[in-house]
Amino acid sequence: MSATPINLYDLTREELRVQLVRWGFNPFHTARLWNYLYIELAASFDAMPELPAKVRSRLTADAQLGVLATALETDSRDGFTRKYLLSLADHERIETVLMRYTGRVTACISSQVGCAMGCVFCATGQMGYTRHLTPGEIVAQAVHVARALRTAEEPHRLRNIVLMGMGEPLHNYDAVMQAIEIMRDDRGLALGAERITLSTVGVVPGILRLAKEKRPLHLAVSLHAATQAGRAALVPAAKKWPLDELMAACRTYSETTGRRIFYEWTLIEGQNDSAEDARAVGRLLHGLPAQVNLIPLNPTAGYAGIPTRTDAARNFQHILKEEFKLPSTVRQRRGIDIAAGCGQLAVAEK
Ligand code: SAH
Ligand code: SF4
């Protein structure tokens, strides 16, 4: 018996095959087991009746299915958003959000318990950093949402993943990339390159590594200000990775991968939502393949700023489009009543 049971959600299909062989089983069982994990979305080894008894008993002894228990489940009033508070094996808790936009189901998943980056307006930043998630804990969140859709007999299956929950995904690079590898497997969850978006606060070495490794995903970069001083006031990580280095890394990323980057901009009234701010964004992103995602500030306990008014957001958007030919979207404010909006995810108590 191995000391720590292997979490099957930690393994790629190839790694699962190797593990089965190591246990002395025919690799032929890999496809069926993988099918149970990611197509049938089995929640226990008992729900895998077509595996031979000897395989199942080995799994029961030496492996585990890292299914996450729901500690709390909350639906937003408009019914478009559902927030899950999920318990990890060490009793830490994370949040995962199911979002429905125009008939498409997206899971917003976490990469860490808390976050070390300390952005002033973000509830996760305000709670501080506890630990990284393992690949299996990241994958398990996607499985959880897929299974919930199945159980509720909803017509839609899980289509997209955004790594925009708790945590900074590029601070937990290896685990996140392993999880993506597992989630994109086309015989499993099949969440391929066009279906996964990773949002980073601007971890420069991570962005360059994504480019070098040509990782199959959409990249979103949290900008929030177009000057170094303005950005450092909102995003402490900007002191470590200054704006000019960040923009150089973004340019390298787009040139190497041929991909456009989404630039996120949390709109805070009187702070970064003026016409001049919009022009500064336009100048900063000039010549880059870019789309701007404007996110009206969501309230958090630890930050006094207030959201931009709708007309200011529209004006911001108008300037980007008319003066700089920059496409942008204003993110719909959904799930605010259950604190499931961007940056509102935090776990108050254990
Ligand atoms: N750590 C990553 C991803 C998680 S946050 C990152 O920072 O990019 C996802 C997005 O929500 C980021 O753009 C973040 O800046 C933004 N955000 C955080 N707190 C927010 C708040 N209170 N209101 C609106 N957007 C917020
Ligand atoms: Fe961390 Fe992102 Fe929140 Fe900043 S915005 S504290 S990087 S989760």
Side-chain angles (χ1 to χ4, degrees):
M1 252 187 69
S2 53
T4 327
I6 294 164
N7 181 357
L8 295 188
Y9 293 140
D10 272 333
L11 307 180
T12 62
R13 183 150 45 92
E14 173 57 16
E15 288 167 349
L16 186 65
R17 189 190 67 78
V18 169
Q19 185 59 53
L20 287 172
V21 170
R22 200 174 288 147
W23 278 326
F25 298 123
N26 190 323
F28 160 84
H29 299 303
T30 313
R32 187 162 289 166
L33 179 51
W34 191 260
N35 207 63
Y36 274 130
L37 293 175
Y38 298 111
I39 303 291
E40 306 262 329
L41 307 167
S44 72
F45 296 134
D46 290 339
M48 305 183 178
E50 286 176 26
L51 281 183
K54 60 183 192 320
V55 176
R56 264 194 294 155
S57 65
R58 186 62 184 246
L59 291 175
T60 308
D62 288 347
Q64 53 160 319
L65 209 50
V67 172
L68 303 176
T70 307
L72 193 68
E73 190 179 316
T74 330
D75 280 300
S76 65
R77 273 191 295 275
D78 63 14
F80 287 114
T81 309
R82 184 183 303 158
K83 181 166 86 166
Y84 296 100
L85 183 61
L86 302 175
S87 292
L88 308 177
D90 59 0
H91 306 296
E92 293 294 348
R93 287 176 174 185
I94 50 167
E95 295 187 344
T96 303
V97 183
L98 182 162
M99 303 176 294
R100 297 180 185 83
Y101 304 124
T102 58
R104 219 174 49 178
V105 179
T106 299
C108 176
I109 65 181
S110 296
S111 56
Q112 296 177 316
V113 181
C115 182
M117 300 294 152
C119 304
V120 295
F121 47 72
C122 170
T124 311
Q126 290 158 16
M127 74 186 265
Y129 168 80
T130 303
R131 70 168 174 88
H132 289 318
L133 295 187
T134 62
E137 288 169 334
I138 299 169
V139 170
Q141 297 172 66
V143 172
H144 187 92
V145 170
R147 191 187 291 124
L149 292 167
R150 164 86 58 89
T151 308
E153 294 181 1
E154 293 209 16
H156 302 290
R157 57 185 285 263
L158 179 60
R159 281 274 306 272
N160 298 284
I161 294 283
V162 292
L163 279 150
M164 295 188 186
M166 298 169 71
E168 166 48 46
L170 296 186
H171 183 207
N172 186 16
Y173 191 97
D174 292 330
V176 167
M177 295 310 142
Q178 171 82 355
I180 288 176
E181 208 51 41
I182 295 164
M183 293 188 292
R184 57 188 292 268
D185 190 295
D186 57 8
R187 289 190 217 165
L189 295 175
L191 296 160
E194 301 309 317
R195 294 162 178 263
I196 296 183
T197 303
L198 181 153
S199 172
T200 178
V201 71
V203 178
V204 167
I207 295 170
L208 294 173
R209 196 168 156 201
L210 286 177
K212 187 153 165 254
E213 297 172 357
K214 294 208 165 50
R215 291 286 174 176
L217 43 79
H218 288 299
L219 181 62
V221 172
S222 295
L223 209 50
H224 310 310
T227 64
Q228 170 60 13
R231 195 158 180 272
L234 296 171
V235 179
K239 292 174 196 137
K240 188 159 179 189
W241 300 294
L243 187 60
D244 52 352
E245 286 179 31
L246 173 60
M247 294 318 298
C250 290
R251 188 172 297 278
T252 303
Y253 179 89
S254 285
E255 282 169 4
T256 315
T257 61
R259 282 182 176 272
R260 168 178 73 161
I261 295 178
F262 299 98
Y263 293 91
E264 291 158 293
W265 190 278
T266 293
L267 283 167
I268 309 165
E269 187 171 79
Q271 173 99 27
N272 64 356
D273 67 342
S274 69
E276 203 29 63
D277 289 314
R279 292 194 182 97
V281 185
R283 287 191 294 272
L284 187 71
L285 299 181
H286 180 72
L288 288 169
Q291 175 168 327
V292 179
N293 288 347
L294 300 166
I295 318 171
L297 180 76
N298 292 319
T300 58
Y303 184 64
I306 54 171
T308 296
R309 294 183 324 276
T310 309
D311 57 342
R314 294 271 166 251
N315 191 40
F316 203 98
Q317 222 180 356
H318 183 77
I319 291 172
L320 294 180
K321 179 165 176 252
E322 295 306 322
E323 297 182 23
F324 299 92
K325 307 274 171 284
L326 258 178
S328 67
T329 55
V330 178
R331 201 168 292 172
Q332 299 170 53
R333 303 188 81 217
R334 288 221 164 124
I336 302 302
D337 56 323
I338 55 167
C342 298
Q344 290 186 306
L345 302 182
V347 182
E349 68 212 68
K350 283 194 192 154

